[in-house]
């Protein structure tokens, strides 16, 4: 009995002791939350509070260490926004809270309004750190050649209007006007230029002296310095030149006369067909021909539909005129070695010639078993290279313009980026003009590297330019014997 009582007491005390330990353990493991201080609105210049995510912290509904904080954008999402190429994914900081642990959380909103919440910002409420950092949403461009020039709306309408700031580079940037049609004829002065940091697109700040409320930022591609292409709905008719459903060029017939009065039109919808026809297709150099210059297309003079479209034209209209496509031609390519002076100016351009396979074979045969030093730099003539055999020529519509980039791409795609002379032999490295008679020479070749290509017109000779260097103690990578010349090279 006594033993049983002692045993019961012992077991009871042990149970109580275990329960007490459990209670202490439970209390110790309970999550300890921070508390946040009062909310403060940031009052510094708003444009100085543009920030971007660093990707190191998530975005929360409350400061992240406060009880009840929920994730708005995960750390992974914030990392994606940090590396985004879209201005919409920048943030504007506008408020702050500091926890009792000294952690600062900034209240931020993305430029497009999609994300809003608190992000850890370091230990100071005067400097951005942690999950965000300061961002320059635009980069000022002070060297743009159009600054100070007069430009015009290239295509007035509801697209590409003026803004208080380039879209999404400032929070709640707004349109100054929703439609530029009423201001189509206004002269605009470019006073500033800036590039959107993430997209790389160029914007101009334009000032409209006639209608100051229009002044603002506009995409640079939406304006033009050419007054001849500016479109005024009250006085002009826009023309699209179309072939097989594709617009190949566009232009504006400007300052037309009203059919009824033969005076200058000044209202949208004024019939101007007679003057439009006269200006478009008559004269020594018709307007339609100047608009199509460099496109490779010609105006279809036999088209009754074209004649009808011009005669029915009213101011503000956009009419369609059909055009004929020119024939496809292959342009001969002329390659030149460029010699450059120390000051960077071009001294000479010497045309490169294609190596003659038979002459090369004859020279090698003559030297067989003898002295290959007889094959010198002058054996094939100076500036001789081995042009690769091409599967296709540099082709385009006859009369159409091509750019330097077009020709450069063709050259690189067709292994013309680097050209080589045939192998020749020299008496020693550093000498490309002669070899010691009776002595086996050192192999060498000239390597030509493409430096630039001229823009031009299909149907005329194309021009590419190279610089050269001599490579010693190696045979040329080019194999003359497999190439007998290619007709597209001049």
């Amino acid at each position: 009995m006594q033993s049983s009582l002692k045993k019961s007491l012992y077991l009871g005390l042990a149970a109580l002791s275990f329960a007490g330990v459990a209670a202490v353990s439970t209390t110790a493991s309970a999550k300890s939350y921070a508390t946040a201080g009062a909310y403060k609105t940031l009052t510094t210049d708003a444009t100085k509070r543009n920030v971007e995510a660093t990707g190191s912290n998530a975005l929360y509904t409350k400061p992240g260490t406060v009880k009840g904080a929920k994730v708005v954008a995960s750390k992974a999402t914030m990392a994606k926004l940090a590396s985004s190429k879209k201005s919409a994914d920048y943030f504007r900081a506008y408020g702050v809270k500091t926890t009792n642990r000294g952690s600062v959380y900034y209240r931020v909103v993305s430029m497009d309004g999609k994300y809003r919440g608190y992000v850890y910002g370091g230990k100071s409420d005067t400097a951005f750190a942690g999950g965000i950092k300061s961002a320059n949403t635009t980069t000022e461009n002070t060297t743009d050649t159009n600054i100070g020039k007069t430009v015009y709306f290239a295509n007035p309408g509801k697209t590409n209007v003026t803004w208080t700031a380039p879209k999404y580079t400032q929070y709640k940037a707004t349109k100054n006007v929703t439609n530029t049609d009423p201001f189509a004829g206004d002269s605009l002065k470019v006073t500033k230029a800036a590039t959107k940091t993430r997209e790389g697109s160029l914007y101009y700040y334009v000032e409209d002296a006639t209608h100051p409320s229009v002044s603002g930022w506009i995409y640079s591609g939406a304006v033009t310095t050419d007054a001849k292409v500016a479109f005024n709905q009250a006085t002009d008719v826009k023309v699209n030149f179309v072939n097989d459903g594709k617009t190949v060029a566009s232009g504006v017939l400007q300052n037309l006369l009203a059919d009824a009065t033969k005076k200058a039109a000044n209202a949208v919808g004024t019939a101007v067909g007679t003057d439009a026809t006269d200006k478009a297709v008559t004269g020594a150099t018709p307007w339609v021909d100047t608009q199509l210059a460099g496109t490779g297309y010609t105006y279809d003079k036999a088209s009754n539909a074209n004649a009808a479209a011009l005669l029915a034209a009213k101011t503000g209209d956009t009419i369609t005129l059909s055009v004929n496509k020119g024939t496809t031609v292959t342009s001969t390519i002329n390659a030149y070695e460029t010699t450059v002076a120390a000051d960077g100016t071009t001294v000479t351009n010497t045309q490169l010639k294609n190596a003659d396979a038979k002459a090369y074979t004859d020279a090698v045969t003559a030297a067989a078993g003898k002295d290959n030093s007889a094959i010198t730099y002058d054996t094939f003539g100076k500036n001789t290279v081995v042009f690769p055999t091409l599967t296709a020529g540099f082709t385009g519509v006859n009369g159409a313009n091509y750019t330097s980039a077009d020709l450069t791409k063709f050259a690189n795609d067709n292994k013309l980026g680097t050209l080589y002379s045939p192998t020749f032999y020299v008496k020693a490295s550093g000498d490309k003009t002669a070899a010691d008679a009776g002595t086996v020479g050192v192999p060498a070749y000239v390597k030509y590297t493409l430096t630039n290509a001229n823009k031009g017109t299909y149907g005329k000779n194309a021009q590419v330019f190279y610089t050269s260097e001599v490579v010693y103690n190696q045979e040329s990578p080019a194999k003359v014997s497999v190439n007998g010349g290619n007709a597209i090279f001049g």
Side-chain angles (χ1 to χ4, degrees), residues 236-261:
D236 307 335
V237 170
K238 184 178 291 185
V239 180
N240 289 331
F241 296 96
V242 176
N243 175 270
D244 195 24
K246 176 185 175 183
T247 298
V248 298
S250 296
V252 179
L253 281 166
Q254 296 176 311
N255 303 318
L256 296 169
L257 302 179
D259 287 344
T261 64

Side-chain angles (χ1 to χ4, degrees), residues 35 37 77 106 110 125 127 142 161 182 218 230 272 276 288 333 350 356 387 444:
T35 57
T77 298
Y106 285 99
S110 59
D125 62 2
T142 59
V161 297
I218 189 169
V272 290
V288 291
I333 297 178
T350 306
D356 186 293
F387 287 120

Side-chain angles (χ1 to χ4, degrees), residues 46-135:
T47 63
K48 305 298 183 184
R49 291 188 268 109
N50 294 328
V51 295
E52 58 186 319
T54 63
S56 62
N57 297 86
L59 185 69
Y60 297 92
T61 55
K62 300 178 180 180
T65 54
V66 172
K67 186 176 182 180
K70 296 180 181 179
V71 174
V72 174
S74 67
K75 185 177 176 180
T77 298
M78 292 295 274
K80 290 181 180 179
L81 298 177
S83 60
S84 171
K85 297 300 181 183
K86 298 179 180 179
S87 294
D89 294 332
Y90 284 121
F91 288 85
R92 168 66 60 78
Y94 62 95
V96 65
K97 283 188 177 184
T98 304
T99 71
N100 61 329
R101 297 171 183 173
S103 295
V104 173
Y105 283 82
Y106 285 99
R107 179 79 165 159
V108 298
V109 59
S110 59
M111 292 296 188
D112 61 359
K114 183 177 180 180
Y115 299 99
R116 185 188 297 271
Y118 287 90
V119 62
Y120 174 66
K123 296 293 185 178
S124 171
D125 62 2
T126 60
F128 301 119
I132 54 174
K133 62 181 180 180
S134 294

Side-chain angles (χ1 to χ4, degrees), residues 88-424:
D89 294 332
Y90 284 121
F91 288 85
R92 168 66 60 78
Y94 62 95
V96 65
K97 283 188 177 184
T98 304
T99 71
N100 61 329
R101 297 171 183 173
S103 295
V104 173
Y105 283 82
Y106 285 99
R107 179 79 165 159
V108 298
V109 59
S110 59
M111 292 296 188
D112 61 359
K114 183 177 180 180
Y115 299 99
R116 185 188 297 271
Y118 287 90
V119 62
Y120 174 66
K123 296 293 185 178
S124 171
D125 62 2
T126 60
F128 301 119
I132 54 174
K133 62 181 180 180
S134 294
N136 292 319
T137 59
T138 60
T139 303
E140 186 179 8
N141 185 333
T142 59
T143 60
D144 190 271
T145 56
N146 281 331
I147 295 176
K149 291 185 178 179
T150 297
V151 296
Y152 307 87
F153 292 116
N155 190 15
K158 297 180 180 179
T159 304
N160 292 324
V161 297
T162 56
W163 288 70
T164 55
K167 189 176 183 181
Y168 293 141
T169 62
Q170 299 296 338
Y171 183 57
K172 290 188 176 179
T174 57
K175 297 177 180 179
N176 290 332
V177 291
T178 57
N179 189 340
T180 58
D181 277 334
F183 319 104
D186 289 7
S187 296
L188 311 169
K189 184 178 180 180
V190 178
T191 57
K192 289 183 287 187
T195 301
K196 293 179 77 170
T197 305
R198 284 187 166 175
E199 291 89 345
S201 47
L202 178 65
Y203 280 73
Y204 291 141
Y205 188 86
V206 294
E207 295 183 358
D208 188 336
T210 307
H211 301 99
S213 62
V214 176
S215 301
W217 290 94
I218 189 169
Y219 173 55
S220 62
V223 295
T224 176
T225 56
D226 186 1
K228 294 179 181 178
V229 301
F231 179 51
N232 187 331
Q233 286 190 317
T235 62
D236 307 335
V237 170
K238 184 178 291 185
V239 180
N240 289 331
F241 296 96
V242 176
N243 175 270
D244 195 24
K246 176 185 175 183
T247 298
V248 298
S250 296
V252 179
L253 281 166
Q254 296 176 311
N255 303 318
L256 296 169
L257 302 179
D259 287 344
T261 64
K262 304 304 179 186
K263 294 181 179 179
N266 59 7
V268 176
T270 302
V272 290
T274 302
D275 194 36
T277 300
D278 185 53
K279 287 183 176 177
V281 299
T282 62
T285 306
W287 177 84
V288 291
D289 291 347
T290 62
Q291 298 300 302
L292 293 170
T295 65
Y297 292 81
T298 56
Y299 177 68
D300 187 354
K301 298 178 181 178
S303 170
N304 291 329
N306 283 352
L310 285 168
L311 282 173
K314 296 181 178 63
T315 53
D317 283 355
T318 297
I319 64 173
T320 297
L321 301 179
S322 60
V323 294
N324 298 320
K325 185 177 181 179
T327 57
T328 298
V329 293
T330 299
S331 296
T332 296
I333 297 178
N334 291 336
Y336 297 88
E337 177 188 12
T338 297
T339 305
V340 181
D343 63 359
T345 58
T346 299
V347 178
T348 58
N349 287 321
T350 306
Q351 188 168 352
L352 302 179
K353 296 175 292 184
N354 197 16
D356 186 293
K358 184 177 185 305
Y360 179 77
T361 303
D362 289 347
V364 173
T365 301
K370 301 177 184 178
D371 179 8
N372 61 11
S373 64
I375 305 174
T376 70
Y377 178 63
D378 296 324
T379 300
F380 316 101
K382 295 180 179 179
N383 301 105
T384 296
V385 297
V386 182
F387 287 120
T389 300
L390 306 184
T391 57
F394 185 51
T395 59
V397 178
N398 190 29
N401 293 335
Y402 57 82
T403 65
S404 171
D406 293 331
L407 182 52
T408 298
K409 184 178 187 304
F410 174 85
N412 288 325
D413 288 348
N414 288 276
K415 300 181 180 180
L416 300 177
T418 305
L419 299 175
Y420 308 96
S421 76
T423 300
F424 56 88

